[in-house]
């Protein structure tokens, strides 16, 4: 600015015909303003004069010419950039140095783009999809098989065991009887309906019975001691 009537608020020298700067409604000659208020440049450490463009980021200041990538020295003025340990980098240099690689496509996950984390690996949001239906998994429940991710409905359609009794999906655990999967709560005595998972049982006409029920219904009696003679079987756990 140029003034014809005021004096510098600090040195009291006339500003007539001279450039000056205003701060809190007070006028200062350029020399006083720079010595009192100019911010030092982070790059060259010189003051950023009032007639220079002051670029600020998180409380730090740069000359326009000094605002550049610390690695490749390209100007960052009006360009996207990232900071690492207070060092400014263009997005390309930052990506090459620090960005994660997508577990699926092995391409860099660029700063500012959404990143999914799963089992210690990073994914592009567009790459983190169900292996079968290809729909984004996001934060939905998922199941991993052979290092491939599936949404729960697709996994159940493709791989899950269905209970021989109730026909519903066995999501965890279960037992096998006559090569058929069962829920533990569905595998019960054909007589008294007591759960047989982990218990001794006896098979009769392809139906399982607890020892007590089988003894009452079918077991032959020992000619000597008159006690039931039984043949026992153990169920096995179903591995998923």
């Amino acid at each position: 600015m140029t003034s014809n009537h005021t004096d510098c608020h600090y040195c009291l020298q006339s500003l007539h015909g001279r450039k000056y700067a205003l701060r809190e409604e007070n006028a200062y000659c350029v020399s006083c303003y720079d010595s009192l208020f100019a911010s030092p440049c982070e790059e060259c450490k010189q003051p950023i004069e009032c007639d220079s463009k002051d670029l600020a980021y998180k409380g730090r200041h740069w000359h326009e010419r000094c605002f550049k990538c610390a690695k490749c020295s390209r100007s960052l003025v009006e360009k996207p950039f990232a900071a690492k340990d207070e060092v400014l980098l263009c997005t390309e240099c930052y990506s090459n140095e620090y960005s994660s690689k997508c577990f699926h496509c092995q391409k860099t996950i660029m700063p500012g783009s959404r990143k999914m984390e799963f089992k210690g690996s990073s994914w592009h949001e567009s790459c983190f999809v169900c292996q079968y239906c290809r729909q984004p998994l996001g934060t939905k429940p998922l199941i991993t098989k052979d290092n491939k991710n599936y949404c729960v409905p697709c996994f159940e359609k493709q791989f899950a065991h269905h209970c021989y009794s109730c026909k519903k999906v066995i999501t965890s655990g279960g037992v096998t009887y006559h090569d058929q999967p069962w829920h533990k709560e569905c595998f019960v005595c054909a007589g008294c309906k007591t759960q047989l998972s982990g218990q001794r049982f006896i098979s009769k006409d392809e139906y399982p019975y607890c020892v007590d029920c089988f003894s009452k219904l079918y077991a032959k009696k020992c000619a000597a001691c008159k006690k039931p003679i039984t043949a026992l079987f153990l169920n096995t756990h179903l591995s998923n």
Side-chain angles (χ1 to χ4, degrees), residues 76-191:
L76 298 177
V77 178
E78 297 183 356
K79 294 179 181 179
F81 63 90
K84 178 69 174 178
D85 300 328
E86 298 188 352
V87 175
L88 302 185
L89 299 166
C90 65
T91 53
E92 183 177 346
C93 288
Y94 182 89
S95 297
N96 291 337
E97 291 290 325
Y98 303 109
S99 289
S100 304
K101 294 289 192 294
C102 175
F103 182 83
H104 176 71
C105 69
Q106 294 303 308
K107 294 181 180 179
T108 297
I109 301 175
M110 299 296 289
S113 61
R114 191 173 182 187
K115 179 174 67 172
M116 310 303 296
E117 298 281 351
F118 180 64
K119 290 188 175 180
S121 298
S122 302
W123 307 64
H124 289 113
E125 185 178 21
S126 58
C127 292
F128 194 60
V129 299
C130 171
Q131 180 69 23
Y132 186 74
C133 69
R134 311 306 299 176
Q135 292 301 306
L137 290 170
T139 57
K140 298 176 184 177
L142 61 91
I143 300 174
T144 301
K145 180 179 175 62
D146 299 330
N147 290 325
K148 297 177 181 178
N149 300 320
Y150 298 85
C151 64
V152 173
C154 285
F155 182 86
E156 291 180 351
K157 289 177 184 178
Q158 295 298 306
F159 306 109
H161 296 280
H162 291 73
C163 177
Y164 182 77
S165 175
C166 70
K167 310 306 179 186
K168 295 180 180 179
V169 171
I170 301 172
T171 57
S172 64
V175 297
T176 299
Y177 173 66
H178 281 187
D179 295 325
Q180 298 291 347
W182 301 63
H183 288 113
K184 290 182 180 180
E185 58 270 23
C186 292
F187 189 65
V188 297
C189 171

